[in-house]
Amino acid sequence: MPFPLLLIIGLLFGIGFGFFAQRAGLCIAHGLGEIFVGKGKRFLRLVLTIFIITSAGFLLSAAVDPSLGLKAVGQLRGYGFYNIIAGICFGAGIYINGGCILGTLRQVGEGSMLHLISILCFIPGMAIVFYGLNPILSGGYEVQKLLLPQLLGTSPLLVTSALVLLSLLLLHRLLKR
């Protein structure tokens, strides 16, 4: 696919997703907080719907071409003191900022100059993490790439199908109420 076409498709998708996020008032951090407090049924329905659609998409794409199926995109780096410190810093940053990156982008789209400053501070912050902290911390952990089907010792089709069915049942139960 030629680059200009990819650019146009990406731009249209970005505008559409931005419109959706702004109209829905979407913020992952606030939504997760609402779920844990017990008020997040709307957000839980949204997360379940997104999970079902993307999982079904991965299953269908793997059926078309096996190289398009599930891939290890994350890394398990172990656990320890660094994870506790990182979690505290991450939570404090979300609390001080008033939301996650998606909520911050939504606020910038609504005209918040304070959140624009926050976005501009993300860039050097991520550079510090990527070029400063990652090389220091990568020596302390044994990095593994692991998928849930490998962990369970079964096929990806079975695990993904079971999770999609479970999500459909939970979504049906939430919509019934």
Side-chain angles (χ1 to χ4, degrees):
M1 192 175 291
F3 181 73
L5 182 60
L6 282 174
L7 192 62
I8 291 170
I9 291 171
L11 182 66
L12 291 174
F13 178 78
I15 290 171
F17 183 73
F19 178 77
F20 166 74
Q22 193 275 332
R23 297 298 296 165
L26 194 59
C27 179
I28 305 297
H30 285 275
L32 289 174
E34 287 177 4
I35 288 173
F36 287 115
V37 171
K39 301 187 300 186
K41 290 181 182 165
R42 180 183 72 93
F43 184 76
L44 185 57
R45 287 192 306 257
L46 177 69
V47 168
L48 286 171
T49 304
I50 291 170
F51 175 76
I52 291 165
I53 291 170
T54 55
S55 296
F58 276 120
L59 282 175
L60 292 175
S61 65
V64 171
D65 183 5
S67 68
L68 297 175
L70 295 172
K71 293 183 176 34
V73 293
Q75 296 176 345
L76 298 177
R77 293 187 180 216
Y79 55 90
F81 180 70
Y82 296 132
N83 297 91
I84 295 170
I85 297 299
I88 290 171
C89 290
F90 185 72
I94 286 177
Y95 179 75
I96 290 169
N97 187 41
C100 62
I101 186 70
L102 182 59
T104 303
L105 287 169
R106 181 179 53 81
Q107 293 288 343
V108 169
E110 292 175 359
S112 171
M113 292 305 288
L114 186 62
H115 285 87
L116 178 63
I117 293 169
S118 181
I119 289 281
L120 294 176
C121 291
F122 281 165
I123 298 166
M126 291 305 296
I128 289 169
V129 168
F130 186 76
Y131 293 112
L133 289 177
N134 274 349
I136 294 169
L137 297 178
S138 65
Y141 290 117
E142 182 181 329
V143 177
Q144 306 172 33
K145 290 191 176 188
L146 188 66
L147 290 173
L148 187 59
Q150 290 172 321
L151 186 66
L152 296 175
T154 186
S155 74
L157 178 65
L158 181 65
V159 172
T160 309
S161 300
L163 288 173
V164 166
L165 286 174
L166 184 67
S167 298
L168 281 168
L169 288 172
L170 183 58
L171 184 62
H172 176 69
R173 185 173 175 194
L174 284 171
L175 290 174
K176 203 159 110 173
R177 290 183 181 179

